[in-house]
Coordinates of all heavy atoms in Angstrom, one line a residue:
T44 N 59.7 -101.8 74.4 CA 60.2 -100.6 75.1 C 59.8 -100.7 76.6 O 58.7 -101.0 76.9 CB 59.5 -99.3 74.5 OG1 59.5 -99.4 73.1 CG2 60.2 -98.1 74.9
P45 N 60.8 -100.3 77.4 CA 60.5 -100.3 78.9 C 59.3 -99.5 79.2 O 59.1 -98.4 78.7 CB 61.7 -99.8 79.5 CG 62.8 -99.8 78.5 CD 62.1 -99.8 77.2
R46 N 58.4 -100.0 80.1 CA 57.2 -99.2 80.4 C 57.5 -97.9 81.1 O 56.8 -96.9 81.0 CB 56.3 -100.0 81.3 CG 55.2 -100.8 80.5 CD 54.6 -101.9 81.3 NE 55.6 -102.8 81.8 CZ 55.3 -103.9 82.5 NH1 54.0 -104.2 82.8 NH2 56.2 -104.8 82.9
N47 N 58.6 -97.8 81.8 CA 59.0 -96.6 82.4 C 59.6 -95.6 81.5 O 59.9 -94.5 81.9 CB 59.9 -96.8 83.6 CG 61.3 -97.4 83.2 OD1 61.6 -97.4 82.0 ND2 62.0 -98.0 84.1
G48 N 59.7 -96.0 80.2 CA 60.1 -95.0 79.2 C 61.6 -94.8 79.2 O 62.2 -94.0 78.5
R49 N 62.3 -95.4 80.1 CA 63.7 -95.1 80.3 C 64.5 -95.6 79.1 O 64.2 -96.7 78.5 CB 64.2 -95.9 81.6 CG 65.7 -95.7 81.8 CD 66.2 -96.0 83.1 NE 67.6 -95.9 83.0 CZ 68.4 -96.3 84.0 NH1 67.9 -96.9 85.0 NH2 69.7 -96.3 83.8
K50 N 65.5 -94.8 78.7 CA 66.4 -95.2 77.6 C 67.7 -95.7 78.2 O 68.3 -95.0 79.0 CB 66.6 -94.0 76.7 CG 67.3 -94.3 75.4 CD 66.5 -93.9 74.2 CE 67.2 -94.2 72.9 NZ 67.3 -95.6 72.6
Y51 N 68.1 -96.9 77.8 CA 69.3 -97.5 78.3 C 70.4 -97.4 77.2 O 70.1 -97.0 76.1 CB 69.1 -99.0 78.7 CG 68.2 -99.2 79.9 CD1 66.9 -99.6 79.6 CD2 68.6 -99.0 81.2 CE1 66.0 -99.8 80.7 CE2 67.8 -99.2 82.2 CZ 66.5 -99.6 82.0 OH 65.6 -99.8 83.0
A52 N 71.6 -97.7 77.6 CA 72.7 -97.7 76.6 C 72.4 -98.8 75.6 O 71.7 -99.8 76.0 CB 74.0 -98.0 77.3
L53 N 72.9 -98.7 74.4 CA 72.5 -99.6 73.3 C 72.8 -101.1 73.7 O 72.0 -102.0 73.4 CB 73.3 -99.2 72.1 CG 72.8 -99.8 70.8 CD1 71.3 -99.8 70.6 CD2 73.5 -99.2 69.6
M54 N 73.9 -101.3 74.4 CA 74.3 -102.7 74.7 C 73.2 -103.3 75.7 O 72.9 -104.5 75.6 CB 75.6 -102.8 75.4 CG 76.8 -102.5 74.5 SD 77.0 -103.7 73.3 CE 78.3 -104.7 74.1
T55 N 72.6 -102.4 76.5 CA 71.5 -102.9 77.3 C 70.2 -103.1 76.6 O 69.5 -104.1 76.7 CB 71.3 -101.9 78.5 OG1 72.6 -101.6 79.1 CG2 70.4 -102.4 79.6
E56 N 69.9 -102.1 75.7 CA 68.6 -102.1 75.0 C 68.6 -103.4 74.1 O 67.5 -103.9 73.9 CB 68.5 -100.9 74.1 CG 68.4 -99.5 74.8 CD 67.0 -99.2 75.2 OE1 66.2 -100.1 75.3 OE2 66.8 -98.0 75.6
L57 N 69.8 -103.8 73.6 CA 69.8 -105.0 72.7 C 69.2 -106.2 73.4 O 68.5 -107.0 72.8 CB 71.2 -105.3 72.3 CG 71.8 -104.4 71.2 CD1 73.3 -104.7 71.1 CD2 71.1 -104.6 69.9
V58 N 69.5 -106.3 74.7 CA 69.0 -107.5 75.4 C 67.7 -107.3 76.2 O 67.1 -108.3 76.6 CB 70.1 -108.1 76.4 CG1 71.2 -108.7 75.6 CG2 70.6 -107.1 77.3
Y59 N 67.4 -106.1 76.5 CA 66.3 -105.8 77.3 C 65.0 -105.7 76.5 O 64.8 -104.9 75.7 CB 66.5 -104.5 78.1 CG 65.4 -104.2 79.1 CD1 65.4 -104.8 80.3 CD2 64.4 -103.4 78.8 CE1 64.4 -104.6 81.2 CE2 63.4 -103.1 79.7 CZ 63.4 -103.7 80.9 OH 62.4 -103.5 81.8
T60 N 64.1 -106.6 76.9 CA 62.7 -106.5 76.2 C 61.7 -106.7 77.3 O 61.9 -107.4 78.3 CB 62.5 -107.5 75.1 OG1 62.6 -108.8 75.7 CG2 63.4 -107.4 74.0
E61 N 60.6 -106.0 77.2 CA 59.4 -106.2 78.0 C 58.4 -106.9 77.2 O 57.9 -106.3 76.2 CB 58.9 -104.9 78.6 CG 59.7 -104.5 79.8 CD 59.0 -103.4 80.6 OE1 57.9 -103.0 80.2 OE2 59.6 -103.0 81.6
S62 N 57.9 -108.1 77.6 CA 57.0 -108.7 76.7 C 55.6 -108.7 77.3 O 54.6 -108.9 76.5 CB 57.4 -110.1 76.4 OG 57.0 -111.0 77.4
N63 N 55.4 -108.5 78.6 CA 54.1 -108.5 79.1 C 53.3 -109.8 78.8 O 52.1 -109.8 78.8 CB 53.3 -107.3 78.6 CG 52.9 -106.3 79.6 OD1 53.4 -106.4 80.8 ND2 52.2 -105.3 79.3
D64 N 54.0 -110.8 78.6 CA 53.3 -112.1 78.2 C 52.4 -112.5 79.3 O 52.8 -112.4 80.5 CB 54.4 -113.1 77.9 CG 53.8 -114.5 77.7 OD1 53.1 -114.6 76.6 OD2 53.9 -115.4 78.5
Q65 N 51.3 -113.1 79.0 CA 50.3 -113.5 80.0 C 50.9 -114.5 81.0 O 50.5 -114.6 82.1 CB 49.1 -114.0 79.4 CG 49.3 -115.2 78.4 CD 48.1 -115.5 77.6 OE1 47.0 -115.5 78.1 NE2 48.2 -115.7 76.3
Y66 N 51.9 -115.3 80.6 CA 52.6 -116.3 81.5 C 54.0 -115.8 81.9 O 54.8 -116.6 82.3 CB 52.6 -117.6 80.8 CG 51.2 -118.2 80.4 CD1 50.9 -118.3 79.1 CD2 50.3 -118.4 81.4 CE1 49.6 -118.8 78.8 CE2 49.0 -118.8 81.1 CZ 48.7 -119.0 79.8 OH 47.4 -119.4 79.5
N67 N 54.3 -114.6 81.6 CA 55.7 -114.0 81.9 C 56.8 -114.8 81.2 O 57.8 -115.0 81.8 CB 55.9 -114.0 83.4 CG 55.1 -112.9 84.1 OD1 54.9 -111.8 83.4 ND2 54.7 -113.0 85.3
A68 N 56.5 -115.3 80.0 CA 57.6 -116.0 79.3 C 58.8 -115.2 79.2 O 58.7 -114.0 78.8 CB 57.0 -116.4 77.9
S69 N 60.0 -115.7 79.4 CA 61.2 -115.0 79.4 C 61.6 -114.8 77.9 O 62.2 -113.7 77.6 CB 62.3 -115.8 80.1 OG 63.5 -115.1 80.0
S70 N 61.3 -115.8 77.1 CA 61.6 -115.6 75.7 C 60.2 -115.4 75.0 O 59.2 -116.1 75.2 CB 62.2 -117.0 75.2 OG 62.1 -117.1 73.8
V71 N 60.2 -114.3 74.2 CA 58.9 -114.0 73.5 C 58.3 -115.1 72.7 O 59.1 -115.8 72.0 CB 59.1 -112.7 72.6 CG1 57.9 -112.5 71.8 CG2 59.5 -111.5 73.4
P72 N 57.1 -115.5 73.0 CA 56.5 -116.7 72.3 C 56.5 -116.5 70.8 O 56.4 -115.4 70.3 CB 55.1 -116.8 72.9 CG 55.1 -115.9 74.1 CD 56.1 -114.9 73.9
I73 N 56.5 -117.6 70.1 CA 56.4 -117.7 68.6 C 54.9 -117.9 68.3 O 54.3 -118.9 68.6 CB 57.2 -118.8 68.0 CG1 58.6 -118.8 68.4 CG2 57.1 -118.7 66.4 CD1 59.4 -120.0 68.0
Y74 N 54.2 -116.9 67.8 CA 52.8 -117.0 67.4 C 52.7 -117.6 66.0 O 52.6 -116.9 65.0 CB 52.1 -115.7 67.5 CG 51.8 -115.3 68.9 CD1 52.7 -114.7 69.7 CD2 50.5 -115.5 69.4 CE1 52.5 -114.4 71.1 CE2 50.2 -115.2 70.7 CZ 51.2 -114.6 71.6 OH 50.9 -114.3 72.9
Q75 N 52.9 -119.0 66.0 CA 53.0 -119.7 64.8 C 51.5 -119.9 64.3 O 51.0 -121.0 64.2 CB 53.7 -121.0 65.0 CG 54.1 -121.7 63.7 CD 55.1 -120.9 62.9 OE1 56.0 -120.2 63.4 NE2 55.1 -121.0 61.6
S76 N 50.9 -118.8 63.9 CA 49.5 -118.9 63.5 C 49.3 -118.0 62.3 O 49.6 -116.9 62.4 CB 48.6 -118.5 64.7 OG 47.2 -118.6 64.3
A77 N 48.7 -118.6 61.3 CA 48.4 -117.7 60.1 C 47.3 -116.8 60.3 O 47.2 -115.7 59.8 CB 48.2 -118.6 58.9
T78 N 46.3 -117.3 61.0 CA 45.0 -116.5 61.2 C 44.7 -116.4 62.7 O 45.2 -117.2 63.5 CB 43.9 -117.0 60.3 OG1 42.9 -116.1 60.2 CG2 43.4 -118.4 60.7
F79 N 43.8 -115.5 63.0 CA 43.4 -115.3 64.4 C 41.9 -115.3 64.5 O 41.2 -114.6 63.7 CB 44.0 -113.9 64.9 CG 45.5 -113.9 64.9 CD1 46.2 -113.7 63.7 CD2 46.2 -114.3 66.1 CE1 47.6 -113.7 63.7 CE2 47.6 -114.3 66.1 CZ 48.3 -114.0 64.9
K80 N 41.4 -116.0 65.5 CA 39.9 -116.0 65.7 C 39.4 -114.6 66.0 O 40.0 -113.9 66.8 CB 39.5 -117.0 66.8 CG 39.7 -118.4 66.4 CD 39.3 -119.3 67.5 CE 39.7 -120.8 67.3 NZ 39.5 -121.6 68.4
Q81 N 38.2 -114.3 65.5 CA 37.7 -113.0 65.7 C 36.4 -113.1 66.6 O 35.8 -114.2 66.6 CB 37.4 -112.2 64.4 CG 38.7 -112.1 63.6 CD 38.6 -111.3 62.4 OE1 37.9 -110.3 62.4 NE2 39.4 -111.6 61.4

Side-chain angles (χ1 to χ4, degrees):
T44 315
R46 268 167 298 185
N47 62 15
R49 178 164 171 191
K50 188 125 181 68
Y51 294 100
L53 192 48
M54 291 293 264
T55 309
E56 297 275 18
L57 284 170
V58 289
Y59 184 80
T60 59
E61 278 195 359
S62 85
N63 246 7
D64 174 68
Q65 56 193 317
Y66 300 115
N67 286 330
S69 177
S70 162
V71 171
I73 307 171
Y74 281 80
Q75 191 66 33
S76 183
T78 192
F79 296 83
K80 290 182 190 170
Q81 302 191 30

